[in-house]
Amino acid sequence: MRHVKGKTVVITGASKGIGAASARVLAGLGARVVLAARSGDALLALAEETGGIAAPCDVSDFAQVQAVMERAGDVDVLVNNAGLIDPIALLADSDPTAWGRVVDVNIKGVYHGLRAVLPGMVARGSGTVINISSGAATSALEGWSHYCATKAAVLSLTRVADNEVRGSGVRVMGLSPGTVATDMQREIAASGINPVSQLSWDAHIPPDWVGQAIAVLMGPEGNAWCGQDFSLKTEAGRNIVGLPPL
Ligand code: NJP
């Protein structure tokens, strides 16, 4: 994991869950982590713990995302992790404003990150963007129209970005973690809608496993996953990261 040491890694959605756990893993391997989310107090506490930088921002606002990247300096790795699933509702019951808010965060947030870092990465001829995806990108689950549609769009952004930068030294890939023990799974369980809400808590992987996968993808192993989603729900994916089998 020597490839992680000294790298500047911007992580969105770093105030809790997968983002916070990944920040701890990467900082532990020597990365300089830049922590972005809306909850400033949580970011400050994590920055103190990890030696990182708290950079409060709402990813749905491009100017705020760009300000984070300017503060970070030359970004080696961007982890586009911020995401929402709440509120879960059948299409017929869904609230149009809340549905649109998920689009603003899950799709536009990822676009804003790509738009902010790609010019510098391409100019330097190096950099990695990891978009946190989901099995929902390629499946249809009731109550998750906002989530399935936005994660499908994120996979599309991963493909298009890879198409545009391939050969420049910049890599763009997705990471589909499977189900992870975070507040998002608490929201899913509370909804009682669709089979994912019925899973037992033991079925979910710990969030630091996703951080370990990010660390691996930052290195040469990531080359094979440009333009597609790497998945921790496969034996091959678990094996590459050195995690227990499914
Ligand atoms: O979610 P949670 P996870 N601007 O709710 C932040 C995907 N995923 O860690 O702003 C900036 O614990 C929020 O921070 P705050 C999932 O789709 C998960 O499980 O302070 N940040 C918090 O740090 C998502 O893309 C599972 O409220 C914003 C973070 O996002 C990623 O993994 C399975 C923001 C959410 O923390 C992390 O999810 C899967 C904004 N506007 C994919 N809005 C799973 N958990 O099972 C929210 O396949 N955030």
Side-chain angles (χ1 to χ4, degrees), residues 12-20 36-40 42-43 57-61 64 80-85 101 104-106 132-136 144 147 151 175-188 196 204-205 207 210:
T12 70
S15 61
K16 60 179 182 168
I18 291 170
R38 295 164 303 174
S39 305
L43 295 183
C57 104
D58 183 331
V59 296
S60 67
D61 179 347
Q64 292 186 40
N80 270 320
N81 166 74
L84 297 175
I85 199 165
R101 178 70 189 151
D104 288 344
V105 175
N106 291 14
I132 302 300
S133 184
S134 168
W144 289 20
Y147 193 73
K151 289 298 183 181
L175 196 178
S176 178
T179 65
V180 187
T182 68
D183 282 352
M184 187 173 279
Q185 283 298 338
R186 287 189 187 91
E187 288 161 10
I188 291 166
V196 185
H204 308 316
I205 65 168
V210 186

Side-chain angles (χ1 to χ4, degrees), residues 29-53:
L29 293 168
R32 171 180 175 259
V33 291
V34 180
L35 312 164
R38 295 164 303 174
S39 305
D41 289 348
L43 295 183
L44 278 175
L46 188 59
E48 196 164 326
E49 180 191 330
T50 58
I53 295 169

Side-chain angles (χ1 to χ4, degrees), residues 34-35 43 69 93 118 135 212 246:
V34 180
L35 312 164
L43 295 183
M69 303 313 168
D93 305 325
L118 285 183
Q212 291 175 45
L246 285 166

Side-chain angles (χ1 to χ4, degrees), residues 133-150:
S133 184
S134 168
T138 53
S139 56
L141 286 150
E142 64 269 33
W144 289 20
S145 61
H146 56 342
Y147 193 73
C148 293
T150 55

Side-chain angles (χ1 to χ4, degrees), residues 120-139:
M121 286 184 174
V122 170
R124 292 190 298 280
S126 71
T128 298
V129 180
I130 300 174
N131 294 328
I132 302 300
S133 184
S134 168
T138 53
S139 56

